[in-house]
Amino acid sequence: MEAITLVVWATIGLGSVVLLVGTATLVVSVRKQRKAHHVEVVKPVITAELASRLDEDDPSWNDWVEELSPPEWSAVRETGKRLLPQIHGGERTKLQQLVYALGFTPERLRNDLESDNLYLTLRALSWLALLEYPSAVDTALRTCTWNQSVRTATARVLFENDDPRAKRTGVDLLLWEGREPLSIFGLDTLYRIVIRKPEYLLSIANEKHGEWEDAVLIQVLTVLQHCQSGVSPSSLTWILFCLDHESPEVRAAALSTLAEYGWNQQLRDAVEIEDLLTDPSPKVRRIAYDVYGRWNTNLERVVTAVQDEPDDLARLVGVRVLHTQGRQKRPANSPEALERTWRWVEAEHTAVLEDA
Amino acid sequence: MTRSIVIAEDDEDIQQLLTFKLQANGFDVTTFEDGRACIDHLQETDELPDLVVLDVMMPRMDGFQVLERIRDEDTLADLPVLMLTARSREDDVVEGFERGATDYVTKPFSPNEVVARIKRMLPST
Amino acid sequence: MTAIDLLAGFLFGFSVFVVAYFVVANTAYLVIHLTALVELRRLINKRTFESTYQRFGSPFLPGIAIVVPAYNEAPVIVSSVQSFLDLQYPDYEVIVVNDGSSDDTLDRLVDAFDLEAVPASPPRELPCETVRDVYRSTENRKLTVIDKENGGKADALNAGVYLTEKQLFCAVDADSVIERDALLSVAKPFLEYPERTVATGGVVRVANSCSITEGIVEEIRLSRNPLVGFQTMEYLRAFLSGRIGLSSLKSLMIISGAFGLFDTRLVREVGGYRSDTITEDMELVVRMHRYLNECDQEYRLEFVPEPVIWTEVPEDRTALSRQRRRWHRGLFQTLTMHRKMIGNPNYGVTGMFALPFFMGVEGFGPLVEGLGYVIVPLAFVLGIVDTWFFISFLLLAILLSMFLSWLSVLSEVASYRRYERPQDVALLLGYGILENILYRQWKTIILWRGFVEFLRGVDSWGAMERKGFDDENGP
């Protein structure tokens, strides 16, 4: 019968595959354990040697690297890779030289940068961010723009290398067409670039914020929120238009950003903060309470608004604002929800005072 | 007189690097990998160190908790404490100083600079 | 036609049905496991680089609240809370919810962390049983404890979910130990796709026989207790193959209650955890899929194989049987609640593949298998099924199951390698063979019982069970 033959053969076939998988598992397990064990044994010696050489004026890495056995070599590479992002100053330069001696040369990185294997390229870019190879940076700018994660990593390379192109090209690489929202890594990169050199981002935002996806616009606003020290408030007037945006998330982000620059009278006067206290979206009202409290001494409007605030979190923010501004007497005849929030904030406040 | 320093840092590489650097500068160094071990040592020892270096994110009690305990204990309260951490967000730095850190250095850091800061923090003899 | 003929016909027909079912179910598993293999290769490749930035110094990482429901956890609570306080993540808080424990769980926390009651009730009505008090630690600003009347796990989770102001929350079990870098690692999809990710889940591993001190796993060992060993094998298969595969097929329907990270606002929007469900973790995830599909929203719900939480699994058959019956009842309950989605193209992959898979293969699969154990041998004894066919089929079934198990052991060894010692790996392979004898058959009986209980409507936790959630987590 054919069915039987089929099943018998399937069994034999599968049996051999299973045996193969089992053997492979054991072999891999033994080999990996051996390797790990070797690295572990040499590691303390290696780290001590590394520390002592780092302290010398000329660490002569080349001589040292040549003498290393394969497990020692792995240990050095791992340690170098872990230390490099954590160290600044003279030791960093020496660590970079060590990485070069280990074979991470500009030529090698350039090869990987040109590859179309995503992770190989990203790996090369993350090395490049730690090293200073101007020639490889040029290669990256030429070839590494084909997807968002690659573009983000390239922008980071420009920033980490203190490349003057970061302020324009870096920002362009990150925002690209304004369609795809950034990763947190991308946000952080944009922030680090902009806090140093904000002009370009502000000028294209002024021009193009209407074309960007909401998510991207919100991210740019969020970045600007953290850049107070670097940005001049007069370049932020375009954000005022975002206060009328149809998406509540954009309105909220715009208001949060403007709040940070509220020390500028002109900007402050241009925001109709009282209207925003009654915005239909609780997200906007949460920010509005906070901003109102920071900008005004007369808090009657907030007192009235929190009375009927239906959103729990917005009410909480509102009451916190009243408290930090020294308004500590609970309004008479307030609704149960407000009473409750008030008592909580009161307790929070006392706890902070005791703590300090 | 040799000055002594206690370091609590769970990253082995950083710990070794700093130890080496400080020893080369003539300090006596004792190291711990977690917060609990560090505070236990400080509470029990007869010879207090001249300065403590604390990482923030450590197993078994974080650096802020250790710092808080140091400041709460009469015998330890005056110890200079340098926080050395990757936590460089504004609110973390503020929290560090609020809790009584003498200095707050964020990673990536320059080992030479840390040594200089430590020397500056110790009263001259 | 005689009665015998009729019986013979039935037995033959059923045997054919079992074989057909076997083929369909195993094809599904094979597809999932092979997809997992491809995905794992990608993940390992991806792991070779780290984006160069100081994560802990970036102002953009989302804040996380770790929500820890605790009922009668006095012996372990202090050490596990300390371990939750020591994680490597810049912006997080820990909210322990004491769910009306009858032991001194709360007192121990008060002593260990210098808790002080906040002299006010929470700023809003929390959708859970009455909250007695909220405590804050004077020693560690990250820690908050909610003391409330007993209401079960879902109810306790809701207390934390609705109190926190953090953007994400991470549900974990009080008796589990989380690895220090696991929070950052489970948050990675949220960092990569902050606008789309709605939930992620990490790996649950078996802690029995590992040595754990003060909330840190010092040494990882595989248990010599076969019952625990079989479960280790199952967890490995479920997490390292099953969920990686399902996740990459956009069909992840379970994020273990022991370790999952969620968008707080979205979970509140869908109504939080439901306390009338048997497996609140699965039900929530299915409800999120439902909601997001109905809103026509693009979203990512991902499994992350790197971060690990360690948990104790049952060591005796009674406890294990109770746990598995509950899971199976919960599976059918969730499927019944959301039956509208099953096979419904409006729900995309969830409706057309994931839920049908969970119903047909995970739900009914073991039940059909159980029947097969009775009927196919009967057919064989009566000479209705050919001897050689029977023997080869039996062998094929065992081999296939071994193949899937061993493939996940290979994945483990080639990737995250928590079991470092080759002898543990060999033992694990051994468990992959032995589980086919008796354990597997025993499980079908247990799951049948669970199914019958479901039909009879035993869908509450039962007076005793309602309180303990020691058997909460798992595949």
Side-chain angles (χ1 to χ4, degrees):
Chain A
M1 265 176 77
E2 274 181 29
I4 297 174
T5 340
L6 194 73
V7 173
V8 170
W9 277 110
T11 313
I12 293 172
L14 189 60
S16 3
V17 174
V18 170
L19 266 180
L20 200 74
V21 170
T23 325
T25 308
L26 284 175
V27 171
V28 173
S29 158
V30 170
R31 284 181 52 182
K32 282 208 171 187
Q33 200 215 15
R34 260 198 213 144
K35 201 175 152 200
H37 178 72
H38 284 153
V39 173
E40 210 169 297
V41 168
V42 298
K43 187 156 184 293
V45 189
I46 288 294
T47 325
E49 177 70 24
L50 188 77
S52 109
R53 280 178 186 260
L54 267 180
D55 207 38
E56 286 163 27
D57 291 334
D58 175 20
S60 29
W61 297 122
N62 280 328
D63 304 341
W64 188 44
V65 167
E66 267 169 35
E67 293 165 10
L68 296 173
S69 69
E72 287 173 335
W73 196 91
S74 303
V76 174
R77 198 195 58 170
E78 288 311 307
T79 313
K81 197 172 161 186
R82 268 197 308 271
L83 274 179
L84 201 47
Q86 303 198 62
I87 302 287
H88 259 179
E91 269 91 351
R92 186 184 172 92
T93 318
K94 286 180 203 160
L95 278 172
Q96 287 171 336
Q97 290 158 356
L98 169 64
V99 173
Y100 181 91
L102 287 170
F104 291 88
T105 57
E107 295 74 45
R108 177 163 163 200
L109 287 190
R110 275 207 302 272
N111 267 336
D112 292 354
L113 291 171
E114 279 164 359
S115 132
D116 53 4
N117 175 332
L118 177 65
Y119 297 117
L120 198 61
T121 310
L122 287 173
R123 189 161 62 210
L125 284 167
S126 66
W127 272 115
L128 191 54
L130 296 171
L131 306 166
E132 276 158 36
Y133 296 155
S135 65
V137 174
D138 292 339
T139 311
L141 274 178
R142 218 175 42 247
T143 60
C144 301
T145 56
W146 45 276
N147 102 0
Q148 205 204 15
S149 54
V150 172
R151 287 194 296 270
T152 306
T154 309
R156 189 72 187 197
V157 167
L158 292 178
F159 165 75
E160 296 285 344
N161 278 268
D162 261 333
D163 192 302
R165 287 169 288 190
K167 63 179 175 185
R168 282 188 84 94
T169 317
V171 171
D172 284 339
L173 282 168
L174 287 165
L175 296 176
W176 210 238
E177 284 157 350
R179 298 267 156 263
E180 277 176 85
L182 295 168
S183 61
I184 299 294
F185 172 52
L187 265 186
D188 187 79
T189 307
L190 186 61
Y191 159 69
R192 310 265 165 204
I193 292 176
V194 172
I195 199 165
R196 280 193 207 162
K197 305 266 167 150
E199 302 79 13
Y200 181 66
L201 175 69
L202 290 167
S203 79
I204 55 166
N206 188 18
E207 207 177 299
K208 291 195 181 151
H209 69 269
E211 299 161 26
W212 289 338
E213 285 288 318
D214 289 358
V216 175
L217 177 56
I218 292 168
Q219 290 191 324
V220 169
L221 289 167
T222 312
V223 163
L224 289 172
Q225 226 174 88
H226 289 91
C227 290
Q228 302 96 308
S229 56
V231 176
S232 122
S234 57
S235 50
L236 298 177
T237 40
W238 59 274
I239 302 183
L240 291 167
F241 296 106
C242 300
L243 289 177
D244 299 322
H245 202 280
E246 53 179 16
S247 144
E249 278 86 7
V250 173
R251 292 201 301 275
L255 186 56
S256 302
T257 310
L258 290 168
E260 296 301 327
Y261 300 86
W263 44 267
N264 180 287
Q265 181 77 42
Q266 237 177 326
L267 210 56
R268 202 163 69 215
D269 289 345
V271 179
E272 309 272 357
I273 186 67
E274 304 204 349
D275 293 352
L276 291 161
L277 278 182
T278 53
D279 191 284
S281 160
K283 282 171 206 148
V284 179
R285 294 199 302 274
R286 280 171 215 161
I287 316 285
Y289 284 124
D290 186 40
V291 177
Y292 193 95
R294 283 203 258 169
W295 290 1
N296 293 283
T297 41
N298 181 357
L299 295 169
E300 284 315 308
R301 283 299 307 270
V302 178
V303 177
T304 333
V306 290
Q307 294 274 349
D308 322 300
E309 175 56 66
D311 181 70
D312 294 309
L313 194 52
R315 192 186 320 113
L316 186 61
V317 174
V319 175
R320 276 191 191 138
V321 164
L322 292 174
H323 262 262
T324 33
Q325 298 299 324
R327 169 118 194 178
Q328 272 148 25
K329 220 175 132 275
R330 202 179 316 164
N333 305 326
S334 40
E336 157 64 19
L338 180 61
E339 289 274 328
R340 208 186 157 103
T341 314
W342 199 281
R343 280 194 300 269
W344 176 261
V345 174
E346 227 161 42
E348 255 180 5
H349 214 65
T350 337
V352 171
L353 289 180
E354 275 171 14
D355 216 31
Chain B
M1 190 188 81
T2 335
R3 304 299 192 80
S4 65
I5 293 180
V6 160
I7 301 178
E9 162 72 75
D10 68 321
D11 181 323
E12 256 178 77
D13 301 316
I14 298 283
Q15 197 201 81
Q16 288 218 25
L17 185 69
L18 264 185
T19 308
F20 185 86
K21 198 92 202 162
L22 288 166
Q23 280 170 348
N25 277 275
F27 292 99
D28 227 14
V29 182
T30 318
T31 56
F32 298 96
E33 269 107 53
D34 66 80
R36 173 83 43 80
C38 175
I39 191 71
D40 285 352
H41 167 83
L42 291 174
Q43 282 166 342
E44 283 155 24
T45 182
D46 298 327
E47 288 174 40
L48 279 183
D50 295 290
L51 183 140
V52 180
V53 177
L54 289 178
D55 182 14
V56 173
M57 289 179 294
M58 290 185 287
R60 303 195 176 100
M61 194 181 296
D62 69 27
F64 286 150
Q65 268 176 290
V66 177
L67 178 60
E68 183 111 358
R69 296 213 176 175
I70 290 179
R71 293 297 175 237
D72 282 348
E73 196 121 344
D74 291 340
T75 48
L76 304 175
D78 296 330
L79 268 179
V81 177
L82 178 138
M83 307 299 291
L84 177 62
T85 171
R87 297 267 290 262
S88 57
R89 294 154 66 118
E90 189 187 40
D91 41 343
D92 286 323
V93 181
V94 170
E95 180 171 355
F97 282 119
E98 270 177 12
R99 288 183 177 234
T102 323
D103 201 354
Y104 197 101
V105 176
T106 58
K107 293 176 192 167
F109 70 103
S110 148
N112 289 324
E113 185 190 312
V114 165
V115 173
R117 281 174 187 269
I118 286 175
K119 285 182 177 164
R120 179 78 180 78
M121 281 159 76
L122 295 173
S124 49
T125 39
Chain C
M1 219 185 336
T2 64
I4 298 284
D5 284 340
L6 210 64
L7 180 69
F10 170 75
L11 287 180
F12 184 76
F14 192 84
S15 302
V16 171
F17 171 69
V18 169
V19 173
Y21 209 103
F22 173 85
V23 172
V24 172
N26 276 293
T27 312
Y29 276 125
L30 267 176
V31 168
I32 291 172
H33 280 238
L34 294 176
T35 317
L37 223 53
V38 175
E39 175 69 3
L40 193 66
R41 228 181 88 94
R42 187 182 74 84
L43 291 169
I44 292 174
N45 218 335
K46 186 174 171 183
R47 219 161 50 121
T48 57
F49 85 97
E50 280 282 338
S51 300
T52 327
Y53 74 117
Q54 292 289 336
R55 285 163 188 70
F56 302 129
S58 180
F60 303 104
L61 262 73
I64 298 177
I66 299 187
V67 181
V68 192
Y71 177 78
N72 287 355
E73 303 281 0
V76 295
I77 195 71
V78 171
S79 75
S80 45
V81 169
Q82 184 62 54
S83 87
F84 296 139
L85 290 171
D86 292 336
L87 302 180
Q88 289 176 315
Y89 196 83
D91 177 12
Y92 77 100
E93 65 174 340
V94 177
I95 302 180
V96 181
V97 186
N98 178 37
D99 192 33
S101 297
S102 55
D103 67 359
D104 58 347
T105 301
L106 182 66
D107 298 337
R108 294 210 187 185
L109 285 170
V110 170
D111 286 349
F113 300 98
D114 292 333
L115 298 184
E116 271 178 17
V118 178
S121 21
R124 58 173 297 184
E125 191 83 51
L126 302 180
C128 61
E129 293 295 324
T130 316
V131 171
R132 297 182 196 135
D133 262 314
V134 176
Y135 295 83
R136 287 258 157 87
S137 164
T138 53
E139 188 193 272
N140 195 318
R141 295 181 197 181
K142 288 197 293 251
L143 178 62
T144 302
V145 176
I146 302 175
D147 180 34
K148 62 181 270 295
E149 303 286 340
N150 179 267
K153 188 174 184 185
D155 193 69
L157 282 164
N158 278 338
V161 171
Y162 282 86
L163 182 73
T164 186
E165 292 167 43
K166 301 283 183 200
Q167 192 190 331
L168 310 176
F169 77 89
C170 180
V172 295
D173 277 355
D175 57 356
S176 307
V177 172
I178 187 168
E179 291 185 356
R180 287 189 64 227
D181 52 1
L183 194 57
L184 182 63
S185 161
V186 79
K188 270 189 185 153
F190 282 98
L191 305 186
E192 272 179 67
Y193 302 98
E195 306 295 325
R196 284 193 204 121
T197 310
V198 296
T200 63
V203 185
V204 177
R205 285 180 184 254
V206 176
N208 308 47
S209 293
C210 294
S211 72
I212 296 173
T213 49
E214 297 182 70
I216 293 174
V217 180
E218 305 273 5
E219 206 168 28
I220 296 163
R221 288 278 179 277
L222 181 60
S223 175
R224 260 55 182 170
N225 173 345
L227 201 61
V228 175
F230 296 150
Q231 291 177 76
T232 311
M233 193 57 246
E234 284 176 325
Y235 278 54
L236 212 58
R237 210 166 47 217
F239 284 96
L240 275 191
S241 298
R243 289 199 193 166
I244 295 182
L246 286 167
S247 173
S248 114
L249 295 167
K250 300 198 178 310
S251 301
L252 192 62
M253 289 295 119
I254 307 180
I255 285 177
S256 166
F259 190 20
L261 186 62
F262 299 85
D263 182 313
T264 313
R265 208 171 66 199
L266 179 68
V267 170
R268 288 187 193 167
E269 250 170 63
V270 303
Y273 287 94
R274 281 181 63 162
S275 40
D276 57 347
T277 53
I278 307 168
T279 43
E280 77 298 322
D281 47 1
M282 177 179 191
E283 198 280 328
L284 175 68
V285 175
V286 174
R287 189 145 39 90
M288 285 170 73
H289 275 293
R290 181 172 183 165
Y291 177 85
L292 291 162
N293 272 297
E294 283 170 2
C295 298
D296 215 4
Q297 209 171 309
E298 212 184 312
Y299 65 97
R300 301 177 73 105
L301 202 146
E302 275 183 57
F303 170 71
V304 195
E306 191 150 9
V308 171
I309 196 157
W310 294 88
T311 195
E312 297 274 336
V313 300
E315 296 203 341
D316 64 87
R317 273 187 302 167
T318 326
L320 182 61
S321 146
R322 195 173 59 217
Q323 179 196 55
R324 293 305 163 90
R325 278 182 285 138
R326 202 173 63 69
W327 286 354
H328 221 59
R329 290 202 307 272
L331 172 63
F332 280 110
Q333 187 199 40
T334 306
L335 289 168
T336 316
M337 276 176 160
H338 299 282
R339 57 185 174 279
K340 172 182 163 203
M341 297 168 73
I342 302 174
N344 186 338
N346 292 337
Y347 293 95
V349 198
T350 315
M352 297 309 286
F353 172 73
L355 289 176
F357 168 78
F358 273 89
M359 183 177 77
V361 180
E362 296 271 284
F364 286 112
L367 307 182
V368 174
E369 184 183 329
L371 285 180
Y373 289 135
V374 180
I375 294 190
V376 177
L378 198 64
F380 168 69
V381 170
L382 295 179
I384 299 161
V385 169
D386 179 88
T387 314
W388 278 107
F389 184 85
F390 176 67
I391 292 173
S392 331
F393 181 70
L394 205 67
L395 258 174
L396 191 68
I398 292 178
L399 277 173
L400 253 175
S401 136
M402 268 173 66
F403 177 62
L404 296 180
S405 299
W406 284 16
L407 216 52
S408 44
V409 183
L410 179 62
S411 300
E412 152 77 359
V413 169
S415 60
Y416 305 102
R417 229 180 124 248
R418 291 299 197 288
Y419 293 102
E420 290 177 352
R421 306 189 314 164
Q423 55 265 52
D424 281 343
V425 173
L427 188 61
L428 207 49
L429 292 176
Y431 285 137
I433 307 174
L434 289 178
E435 67 175 346
N436 291 299
I437 305 157
L438 297 178
Y439 179 66
R440 214 183 143 140
Q441 291 74 24
W442 174 77
K443 243 177 27 186
T444 60
I445 300 175
I446 294 304
L447 297 187
W448 260 106
R449 277 178 63 192
F451 181 61
V452 171
E453 284 166 2
F454 165 74
L455 292 179
R456 282 181 29 224
V458 188
D459 55 3
S460 72
W461 285 60
M464 280 304 291
E465 275 180 299
R466 173 190 169 85
K467 293 181 171 176
F469 25 82
D470 52 310
D471 55 358
E472 240 352 63
N473 38 57

